[in-house]
Amino acid sequence: MSLIVVSVVVSIGLVVLDLTLKQLRLSTNSKDSETAFHAANAAMECARYWRNDKSDEVISGSNLAINCFGKTIAPITAVDINTKNGDGDAYKYSFAVTWGTAPTQRCSEVDLLALNSAIDDITTVESMPVVIPGYPDLEKVCESGGRCTVIAARGYSRACDQVTQPGTVQREVLLEL
């Protein structure tokens, strides 16, 4: 009789332990997901700020030095992107930065595409998923006289040199202006 009681108590204890471990994993994943999302959102806000602050330099394809997360990121080199039609220009800027304090460091990566259409012609960039990873359409069209921007910001739950480790959570935010 005592063996049956001990077996039932041990079984209940193991079930409770299993549930506790699953809840711990779930809460850790939730925390990492929030950290990654906030890292992506912060990168998006940084990119929006310097896109507006350095508008003329971005549109002309100039190399940039920006300040995000209390760090100066320089140089950010413009890559000239071929356009399908029109007299407009398209430049892509990319950067990655680790920020925060250990052990809560996180990584933010940004890809920004700036298009500038001529006053009398549209500008189209093809193969957009290659130019901006995660972009849902095959091409981006910027109307006549327009200044169009696509920003893809990725946030990770770890520092940039650790994003390939198992268990790293990534979140992405995509914005078109």
Side-chain angles (χ1 to χ4, degrees), residues 153-175:
R154 289 168 303 285
Y156 298 90
S157 59
R158 297 192 180 165
C160 291
D161 61 351
Q162 299 173 350
V163 297
T164 58
Q165 290 184 356
T168 301
V169 178
Q170 173 191 336
R171 295 292 176 255
E172 185 168 344
V173 180
L174 183 67
L175 177 69

Side-chain angles (χ1 to χ4, degrees), residues 46-58 149 177:
C46 174
R48 284 182 62 198
Y49 174 77
W50 66 262
R51 170 63 180 93
N52 290 333
D53 187 52
K54 298 183 181 290
S55 181
D56 292 335
E57 293 96 329
V58 169
T149 304
L177 302 170

